[in-house]
């Protein structure tokens, strides 16, 4: 059945991705009606997350952000499908790397770079856009999918512009060996960690939140600067990719300063474009008292 599902996906999704984005956004508008109006996909989760995160906002303001979020979510789904066939030139046009010179200066330091990122706007496009910059080899960490056919397809698609995809469980062995190239290691920093994970507690969006410490740990191990990379939406289908240094000398930082700084920076950009974050995730399922 896994193979059958994979073949059906290829038959429909791949030809679909070759349609112009102008047409694909019509499907996004329809998908919004289905997910938000008809099904109410994780609507209770989204509403509760927004209410808890923005207690200062009225219910009308919360609902306004909620609607924009579902529009953004549907666009993200469609744009991710488009990524299966998008060309380099179109990706560069739609995802302007406005901080590319700053990024190149980080690369020229002669060190590896730790990229911190969040589920913010089209982070998939953002990851691919960094890969098009050839001053560093981007290493993407991922959790393998249970379906081996989908897993092979997704990792191949994410590496088609030159990224090196490594399962998260293998990264320790990878960095413990002599590294012959200068790498930029990409880590998603806003997922909800497991109880047994190495984590740090802080206040994030008005809530006690468990945060992965992986960015900080690898920055210290490799003595590498930490850069937060994020796309800001300009208009539908167009983004500006930005890079913000979080810590340039990890060896001199106090414990958890990097983790705290990356979390506060993520919160600051969420407050700028609140509809851009992945509110349908059960981000706060791990409670401090547990």
């Amino acid at each position: 059945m896994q193979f059958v599902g994979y073949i059906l996906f290829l038959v429909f999704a791949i030809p679909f991705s070759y349609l112009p984005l102008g047409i694909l956004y019509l499907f996004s508008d329809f998908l919004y009606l289905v997910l938000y109006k008809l099904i109410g996909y994780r609507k209770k989760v989204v509403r509760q997350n927004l209410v808890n995160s923005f207690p200062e906002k009225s219910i009308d303001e919360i609902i306004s952000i909620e609607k924009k979020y579902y529009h953004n979510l549907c666009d993200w789904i469609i744009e991710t499908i488009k990524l299966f066939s998008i060309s380099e030139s179109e990706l560069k046009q739609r995802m302007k790397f406005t901080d590319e010179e700053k990024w190149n200066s980080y690369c020229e330091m002669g060190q590896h770079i730790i990229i911190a990122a969040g589920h913010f706007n089209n982070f998939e496009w953002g990851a691919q856009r960094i890969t098009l910059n050839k001053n560093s080899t981007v290493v993407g960490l991922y959790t393998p999918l249970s379906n081996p056919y989908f897993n092979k397809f997704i990792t191949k698609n994410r590496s088609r512009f030159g990224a090196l995809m490594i399962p998260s469980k293998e990264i320790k062995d990878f960095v413990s060996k002599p590294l012959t190239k200068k790498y930029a290691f990409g880590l998603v920093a806003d997922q909800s960690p497991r109880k047994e994970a190495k984590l740090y507690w802080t206040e994030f969006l008005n809530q006690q939140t468990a945060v992965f410490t992986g960015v900080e740990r690898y920055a210290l191990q490799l003595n590498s600067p930490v850069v937060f990379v994020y796309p800001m939406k300009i208009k539908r289908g167009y983004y500006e990719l930005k890079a913000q240094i979080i810590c340039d000398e990890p060896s001199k930082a106090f414990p958890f300063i990097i983790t705290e700084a990356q979390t506060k920076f993520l919160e600051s950009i969420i407050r700028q474009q609140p509809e851009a974050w992945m509110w349908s995730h059960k981000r706060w399922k791990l409670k401090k008292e547990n």
Side-chain angles (χ1 to χ4, degrees), residues 130-228:
I130 297 174
T131 304
L132 294 178
N133 183 296
K134 303 304 180 183
N135 281 333
S136 61
T137 300
V138 175
V139 176
L141 307 187
Y142 72 98
T143 301
L145 302 175
S146 58
N147 187 318
Y149 306 104
F150 277 112
N151 186 68
K152 183 178 180 180
F153 174 82
I154 294 299
T155 53
K156 183 178 179 180
N157 184 69
R158 286 178 171 173
S159 61
R160 71 188 185 98
F161 292 131
L164 178 62
M165 302 302 298
I166 298 178
S168 299
K169 291 182 178 180
E170 297 178 15
I171 187 60
K172 288 183 180 179
D173 291 336
F174 184 84
V175 299
S176 64
K177 300 174 183 177
L179 301 176
T180 57
K181 295 181 180 180
K182 296 304 175 186
Y183 293 102
F185 295 91
L187 292 91
V188 177
D190 62 351
Q191 292 175 317
S192 182
R194 301 182 304 274
K195 289 182 181 180
E196 65 272 18
K198 294 180 180 179
L199 50 81
Y200 167 76
W201 286 94
T202 187
E203 185 172 290
F204 171 62
L205 291 170
N206 292 300
Q207 298 162 84
Q208 283 296 307
T209 307
V211 183
F212 276 123
T213 59
V215 169
E216 181 166 338
R217 285 186 284 113
Y218 288 118
L220 288 169
Q221 182 175 345
L222 298 172
N223 193 27
S224 301
V226 177
V227 182
F228 202 106

